[in-house]
Amino acid sequence: MVTAGLLGVPLEDHRQLKAWSATFAEMLGNFQHNPDRINDVLRCVADMTGYFRDAIREQERCPRDGLIRSLMDAEVDGSRLSEDEVIANTIVTMVGGQETTTNLIGNGLLTLIRTPEKMRQLREQPEIIASAVEELLRFETPSQHTARICKEDTVMGGKLIRKGEAVMAVMAAGNRDPERFSDPDSLDLTRADNRHLAFGWAAHFCFGAALARMEARIAFTALARLDDIRVASDDLEWRTNSGLRGLKALPITFKAAA
Ligand code: HEM
């Protein structure tokens, strides 16, 4: 719903947007597990493209606030984005904002339930929420890796990477690097100097980081207030996606307030 509002499409389409995002996300690191899903993913891309093309045409007739409109209007040195570029950026923003934030909340909640003393700490000291979210981003990195194609022969960390070769940067591993973080495998909700890589780095640093942080702060503050929160399943299942780490579902129980 937040994403629909941000883009400027009808809020009542939020279930459809979520379903498309989930299918699209499978493309990011999953084909080795589910090659038979390729056609579904391609159909989903075609459907999303059609939906956003219609949204753009609709906006040409009656404009509404949101990212789609901003992308349509954006102009740098007289140059505008083509319709396909607006659609592509809209899809990236929509998908980028969904599975990642969902997984941050799901994985973070599971981590807190498994370390009850940390859950208690967050409940008793709600003022640590900002650093708690940063630590959960570091500790259970929702977006595990990204990739780049090398533009020219480059030596990095003593290794030659040739022009045209693909490089995968595993942010999740960097976030547990003992040379960077002291005691990296322990969860410290008040960790100082927590410059993690969960939102990427430099030119492509996450466009939605501020929003994701805000959503996570609201969610964890509310969840930490629940009484006797427990996982209601003995066999939690992780998604078979090497890029987006998250559970298929996280059933929980808690005590209703008296
Ligand atoms: C916990 C939540 C999130 C995580 C972990 C996350 C993670 C990331 C990462 C790692 C990148 C960099 C990818 C790269 O360099 O290859 C990125 C980029 C991006 N993210 Fe997020 N993201 C989150 C939430 C969001 C939200 C809420 C939005 C949209 C409102 C969003 C939109 C984007 C976009 C559009 C980019 C591409 C930026 C560019 O290429 O310049 N993300 N995100």
Side-chain angles (χ1 to χ4, degrees):
M1 290 167 86
V2 170
T3 312
L6 173 93
L7 297 179
V9 294
L11 280 198
E12 55 272 22
D13 291 350
H14 72 93
R15 281 184 216 288
Q16 178 62 77
L17 300 182
K18 177 76 188 163
W20 278 330
S21 296
T23 306
F24 187 86
E26 287 186 35
M27 208 162 65
L28 309 167
N30 218 11
F31 282 155
Q32 67 276 36
H33 298 290
N34 294 325
D36 49 332
R37 295 280 286 133
I38 290 176
N39 284 337
D40 290 341
V41 173
L42 291 177
R43 195 171 324 114
C44 154
V45 173
D47 290 348
M48 279 193 287
T49 304
Y51 173 90
F52 287 119
R53 204 178 295 285
D54 288 349
I56 291 170
R57 303 273 159 86
E58 171 76 23
Q59 296 236 9
E60 278 159 1
R61 284 196 303 277
C62 57
R64 51 199 287 172
D65 282 345
L67 184 75
I68 296 179
R69 183 80 237 158
S70 304
L71 291 173
M72 288 167 72
D73 290 346
E75 190 175 318
V76 177
D77 297 336
S79 155
R80 315 271 297 248
L81 294 174
S82 68
E83 189 176 89
D84 282 347
E85 286 168 333
V86 173
I87 293 171
N89 279 289
T90 303
I91 291 177
V92 168
T93 305
M94 183 187 84
V95 177
Q98 306 238 5
E99 298 302 304
T100 47
T101 312
T102 306
N103 291 342
L104 170 60
I105 296 171
N107 301 350
L109 178 59
L110 180 64
T111 303
L112 289 172
I113 291 175
R114 284 179 170 165
T115 48
E117 72 285 2
K118 304 291 177 190
M119 181 73 101
R120 207 171 315 116
Q121 183 187 14
L122 188 55
R123 183 185 189 142
E124 287 166 6
Q125 297 168 256
E127 68 278 7
I128 66 168
I129 186 64
S131 79
V133 166
E134 297 312 305
E135 180 66 347
L136 292 169
L137 279 159
R138 182 195 71 82
F139 192 77
E140 269 290 7
T141 307
S143 187
Q144 298 258 296
H145 56 73
T146 185
R148 297 287 189 272
I149 306 287
C150 200
K151 275 181 157 173
E152 53 204 37
D153 287 3
T154 307
V155 176
M156 223 182 174
K159 294 218 167 21
L160 172 66
I161 307 164
R162 295 202 182 278
K163 181 179 174 182
E165 283 181 345
V167 180
M168 277 177 79
V170 184
M171 289 91 75
N175 284 344
R176 299 282 192 113
D177 183 351
E179 287 180 22
R180 180 61 187 82
F181 298 101
S182 61
D183 205 2
D185 294 329
S186 71
L187 182 75
D188 175 358
L189 299 184
T190 57
R191 184 181 287 274
D193 186 21
N194 195 354
R195 225 167 62 157
H196 58 72
L197 298 171
F199 289 122
W201 197 248
H204 292 277
F205 183 82
C206 178
F207 165 86
L211 174 62
R213 285 178 162 132
M214 191 187 286
E215 290 180 307
R217 287 174 198 173
I218 293 168
F220 288 119
T221 301
L223 288 163
R225 286 200 207 110
L226 299 177
D227 267 337
D228 197 20
I229 183 162
R230 290 167 198 253
V231 176
S233 164
D234 291 334
D235 67 84
L236 292 174
E237 235 186 303
W238 291 91
R239 289 169 195 272
T240 56
N241 190 318
S242 70
L244 296 166
R245 177 172 164 78
L247 293 163
K248 286 190 174 163
L250 177 57
I252 56 164
T253 58
F254 57 90
K255 278 203 187 116

